[in-house]
Amino acid sequence: MNQRQNKPIIGITIGDINGIGAEVTMKALMDNRVLKQITPVIYAHGKAITFYRKLLKMEDFNFMQIRNIDEVHPKKINVINVTENCPEVMPGVETQESGKMALAALDKAIEDIKAEKIDGIVTAPLNKNNINSEELKFVGHTEYLTNAFEAKESMMFMVAEDIRVGLVSGHVPLAEVAQNVTGKKIKQKLKIMLKSLKEDFGIQKPKIAVLGLNPHAGEDGLLGKEEEEVIKPAIREFKDQGHMIFGPYAADGFFGMMHQMKFDGILAMYHDQGLIPFKTLAFESGVNFTAGLPVIRTSPDHGTAYNIAGKNIADEGSMRAAIFTAMDIISQKEDWEEE
């Protein structure tokens, strides 16, 4: 934890200022518990925050404008300008300028956490379309952060109180999923999940369920051979090492019978296989955590939601959960390192 105070400093990147990121961030930070336990730093622009303060009639939302992270005030909501000029704020409208600001916020937070000036990052949702350019192919926060920290491998880990789902293949087209489900990748993700459940969530002997790739988990090779040739051998290897890894399970029956309650973690083979049940069960409290990075990063489990931006109806539950999850993992990591 940052040595200048006993509360963790958590940087919140504003994401797309024309989405719901600013609204859910401000609402989450109005929770009286937040300032008692963390020092928040919003990477955005003061004019954008002021715009939403007026639009949403949040007169009680007070913040302190600081020039850089060294000026952080432990008892205030701090805001750092990540661009010299604030783009015009147009709720619900996709603009190139808001994309540039979203990326600038993320880059500045990365710079500060690399310098050990902040203890964790919470990323509000952004829009990949207005960030992508000829110079930059932005697939998602997970991939961008993995590259920024030169991590060999990371994992999108969706977490809530009663369910934690990791993905073997993340942001890849469905047509390319099967070729991305390899024994090597499954074993990499299982190692990351085991380590994260122990070090980040304090579970000493994690119990993990692995889902199959094909309908009915391949039905003994009738509906696909990946379970027999790829997934089962990987599970067997971990079992032989003494780990509690089970499967492969048919995804529909697994969630239909609420088996997720019996496991500490679930490894899904592809994006929608894991995220559809997760968001169905935990949309308002779910958190996206990037496991496998040398730093702590969480985010709410929703997108920019342009259709409701600026209307004061966005639910801040997932953003609040992302902030508290980051705080809990920071604390848990400290306990793990002290043991």
Side-chain angles (χ1 to χ4, degrees), residues 184-199:
K184 180 181 179 182
K185 221 165 186 58
I186 291 169
K187 287 184 277 189
Q188 285 176 334
K189 302 300 183 181
L190 282 172
K191 284 179 183 177
I192 292 172
M193 186 178 286
L194 283 165
K195 188 172 190 288
S196 181
L197 288 171
K198 291 176 184 177
E199 297 181 14

Side-chain angles (χ1 to χ4, degrees), residues 52-101:
Y52 280 105
R53 186 176 184 269
K54 292 177 181 176
L55 179 68
L56 304 174
K57 296 180 170 59
M58 294 177 65
E59 290 82 6
D60 292 339
F61 185 85
N62 299 309
F63 65 92
M64 181 175 182
Q65 185 80 56
I66 59 175
R67 288 172 296 180
N68 57 63
I69 194 64
D70 292 322
E71 296 181 357
V72 67
H73 195 292
K75 296 181 180 179
K76 305 284 187 182
I77 296 169
N78 301 268
V79 175
I80 292 177
N81 290 352
V82 297
T83 54
E84 187 173 345
N85 299 309
C86 182
E88 183 181 359
V89 184
M90 296 184 283
V93 180
E94 179 184 321
T95 68
Q96 292 300 309
E97 290 73 23
S98 65
K100 289 177 182 175
M101 183 170 165

Side-chain angles (χ1 to χ4, degrees), residues 138-188:
F138 189 95
V139 180
H141 275 116
T142 303
E143 294 82 359
Y144 192 80
L145 288 160
T146 302
N147 184 62
F149 290 98
E150 299 179 352
K152 290 181 180 179
E153 192 71 35
S154 67
M155 182 181 70
M156 186 185 294
F157 204 8
M158 308 300 294
V159 301
E161 188 173 347
D162 296 324
I163 180 172
R164 301 182 190 90
V165 180
L167 305 179
V168 173
S169 65
H171 295 129
V172 300
L174 191 58
E176 298 173 17
V177 165
Q179 68 196 56
N180 277 274
V181 176
T182 63
K184 180 181 179 182
K185 221 165 186 58
I186 291 169
K187 287 184 277 189
Q188 285 176 334

Side-chain angles (χ1 to χ4, degrees), residues 274-285:
L275 266 63
I276 288 173
F278 180 86
K279 291 189 177 186
T280 301
L281 294 166
F283 190 71
E284 292 182 356
S285 61

Side-chain angles (χ1 to χ4, degrees), residues 157 162-166 189-190 193-198 201-211 235 238-239 242-247 249 254 258-268:
F157 204 8
D162 296 324
I163 180 172
R164 301 182 190 90
V165 180
K189 302 300 183 181
L190 282 172
M193 186 178 286
L194 283 165
K195 188 172 190 288
S196 181
L197 288 171
K198 291 176 184 177
F201 297 95
I203 300 166
Q204 297 305 313
K205 189 71 174 174
K207 187 179 179 184
I208 295 174
V210 179
L211 303 182
I235 293 172
F238 277 82
K239 275 191 168 182
H243 298 294
M244 293 197 295
I245 314 291
F246 302 91
Y249 295 97
F254 182 87
M258 301 293 284
H259 285 331
Q260 74 275 3
M261 304 294 288
K262 301 175 182 178
F263 294 91
D264 301 303
I266 301 154
L267 186 63

